Amino acid sequence: MTTLDVKADFPILEPDAERRRIIYLDSAASSQKPRQVLDAVRRFYEVSNSNVHRGAYDLAVRATKLYEEARCKVTEFVGGYDSRGVIFTRGTTEAINLVANSWGRDNVRAGDTVVITALDHHSNIVPWQMLAKQQGAAVRMVEVTEDGRLDLEDLRAALKLRPKIVALNYVSNALGTINPLPEIIPLIHEAGAVVLVDGAQSAPHIATSVSDLDIDFYAFSGHKMLGPMGIGALVARPELLDEMNPYQGGGEMIQEVGDEQSTYADIPAKFEAGTPNVAGAVGLGAAIDYLNDIGMDAIHEHETGILHLALERLSDIPGLKVFGPDEERAGVLSFALDDIHPHDLATVLDQEGVAIRAGHHCTQPLMRRLGVQSTARASFYVYNDESDVEVLACGLEKAKEIFSYAA
Ligand code: C6P
């Protein structure tokens, strides 16, 4: 059923003298890292560590070359417009805040509308609410259908308001719903709006071409796609970035600093004030190499296989309810079991060595629409296999038994 066999590349999944075996089913929160990425980061610090774009000595040249190579890898991996349009950030959250604070402050005015969706993560909701409050603009949240898909009729209605920007995710972190971007993006552009896509849950799982999809701003995080924490990117149309003002000032983003005013560097430097996370970028580059070696289509096929296997196996458990659509979903499985609190489920599963997430998944508007406070969520990635699904299912059966005694 499943097609990849890469578990051995992930040291953390091996039992250790200090720690039990882990069945890791929380990759939507953060993925584990293969040896290849860990080695690349270690090697950077051992043989190339230096600041970038500043020194003329050999180490500085090596570090700068590696950092810029990573930018090229990102550009190619997500089908960006060109490498000038790739800004390294701490992750998705920072990339979205960059757009809201820079493009947003110059383009969203009093009386304008910003469209977001009820499927979005707080990272793609709160920055827009903050911007709207600052500028006197309105936020319009597009609804979801009962099975957890974006309500396209409501999106069309929202577009009639002629919003300045539509910000939405490609894949929902709480339900796994894959938004039909090829259908949606032309509608957004026809309405005269710019589109920002939160790619936190798509970049790790779905082959994406930002330029083919005609996306204006695409944000993602390296730590969810086998890379290190604290690195991610904003991938954007270079001509939009050229027009935008920087939102952070500091070293390396300037052309000339006068006593009272300064001029700014060209992109991408204009948006990378201060010392960047060079080791993180190098690790992200190694993660991209690793993903490319497997192939994004093979990854998607593998995850879809595991998801369907899990849906089938979990349907054997009476009282288990799965949230989200039947089709067009990534390897994320949100569920409830009887009336057992999701945190209790997570605790019982932890005793079996299974790591899942329980909570609102930073999607409170979505939880309200689902009529729940929280869900239990298992999410799958390259290193998961059939045996992990079986351990999850047995753990849930055990939880059911424990709580039926308690009732
Ligand atoms: N979702 C989850 O468990 P950062 O923290 O910046 O790397 O990513 C934020 C973010 C933005 N958008 C989506 C769709 C996301 O899933 C996330 C992170 C994690 O679902 C942590 S809440």
Side-chain angles (χ1 to χ4, degrees):
M1 169 71 77
T2 56
T3 47
L4 303 180
D5 182 15
V6 297
K7 233 177 197 172
D9 287 340
F10 293 80
I12 205 164
L13 301 179
E14 289 162 16
D16 184 86
E18 288 178 31
R19 206 188 2 81
R20 300 168 302 168
R21 171 197 66 164
I22 297 174
I23 306 296
Y24 190 73
L25 299 178
D26 197 18
S27 297
S30 194
S31 70
Q32 296 304 342
K33 324 298 173 201
R35 223 170 242 112
Q36 291 81 340
V37 168
L38 303 175
D39 288 349
V41 173
R42 184 185 179 93
R43 199 165 162 70
F44 169 77
Y45 281 122
E46 282 178 351
V47 303
S48 305
N49 179 49
S50 158
N51 214 321
V52 289
H53 301 136
R54 287 158 168 87
Y57 50 88
D58 178 57
L59 275 185
V61 172
R62 288 171 73 106
T64 303
K65 186 165 172 280
L66 286 169
Y67 183 64
E68 291 306 325
E69 273 172 13
R71 197 189 305 280
C72 292
K73 285 181 189 178
V74 168
T75 314
E76 220 170 282
F77 183 70
V78 300
Y81 297 94
D82 83 45
S83 59
R84 294 182 323 122
V86 173
I87 313 293
F88 281 120
T89 62
R90 282 193 296 129
T92 308
T93 305
E94 191 177 58
I96 296 171
N97 276 277
L98 190 166
V99 179
N101 283 286
S102 169
W103 183 91
R105 283 190 200 169
D106 286 341
N107 290 280
V108 175
R109 310 220 177 278
D112 286 343
T113 302
V114 170
V115 168
I116 54 178
T117 87
L119 267 182
D120 277 295
H121 185 278
H122 296 168
S123 292
N124 201 24
I125 295 177
V126 184
W128 302 112
Q129 293 173 339
M130 289 163 69
L131 173 74
K133 193 170 175 190
Q134 233 167 43
Q135 306 294 92
V139 173
R140 166 68 154 86
M141 184 171 275
V142 175
E143 287 302 328
V144 282
T145 61
E146 253 173 46
D147 64 344
R149 285 176 296 110
L150 200 62
D151 182 337
L152 296 185
E153 274 317 300
D154 196 43
L155 173 67
R156 284 195 179 84
L159 292 178
K160 291 204 175 109
L161 301 170
R162 307 288 296 174
K164 280 285 157 71
I165 187 163
V166 178
L168 80 171
N169 60 33
Y170 195 168
V171 175
S172 151
N173 65 311
L175 298 180
T177 312
I178 302 176
N179 279 325
L181 293 190
E183 186 184 339
I184 291 174
I185 290 176
L187 301 176
I188 295 172
H189 283 147
E190 274 162 34
V194 159
V195 64
L196 177 139
V197 174
D198 170 351
Q201 300 294 344
S202 52
H205 307 285
I206 299 180
T208 303
S209 170
V210 170
S211 51
D212 286 353
L213 283 168
D214 211 13
I215 294 170
D216 299 299
F217 297 109
Y218 186 71
F220 69 90
S221 304
H223 70 97
K224 294 187 196 288
M225 49 185 279
L226 311 182
M229 301 247 182
I231 188 78
L234 172 68
V235 177
R237 254 182 232 290
E239 55 280 18
L240 276 175
L241 293 173
D242 275 331
E243 286 167 9
M244 283 159 51
N245 282 304
Y247 92 115
Q248 289 184 337
E252 282 307 299
M253 51 73 73
I254 52 92
Q255 198 171 52
E256 184 92 35
V257 177
D259 286 359
E260 285 170 13
Q261 285 194 32
S262 302
T263 52
Y264 309 130
D266 289 336
I267 58 167
K270 183 167 74 172
F271 293 103
E272 291 184 1
T275 299
N277 180 356
V278 184
V282 170
L284 175 58
I288 288 174
D289 290 341
Y290 186 89
L291 292 169
N292 281 335
D293 280 351
I294 301 177
M296 291 308 288
D297 290 340
I299 290 172
H300 187 57
E301 192 186 324
H302 173 79
E303 289 170 7
T304 308
I306 305 249
L307 175 76
H308 285 120
L309 189 79
L311 284 169
E312 203 181 305
R313 177 65 181 88
L314 266 49
S315 70
D316 294 344
I317 304 176
L320 192 133
K321 175 184 171 171
V322 172
F323 298 96
D326 292 336
E327 300 293 329
E328 295 302 307
R329 68 186 287 164
V332 173
L333 192 57
S334 255
F335 58 89
L337 179 55
D338 297 332
D339 53 3
I340 307 171
H341 195 284
H343 285 133
D344 291 333
L345 280 180
T347 304
V348 174
L349 286 170
D350 179 52
Q351 283 159 6
E352 302 299 306
V354 181
I356 63 155
R357 184 170 172 192
H360 55 61
H361 316 297
C362 300
T363 57
Q364 286 181 346
L366 178 63
M367 294 294 126
R368 279 197 295 278
R369 283 155 176 88
L370 296 175
V372 294
Q373 295 249 328
S374 59
T375 71
R377 183 190 71 182
S379 52
F380 307 108
Y381 207 11
V382 288
Y383 32 73
N384 295 118
D385 57 23
E386 290 98 323
S387 68
D388 297 344
V389 171
E390 193 48 36
V391 180
L392 168 69
C394 292
L396 290 171
E397 281 162 352
K398 187 166 177 185
K400 196 173 164 72
E401 212 178 292
I402 293 171
F403 286 94
S404 69
Y405 285 131

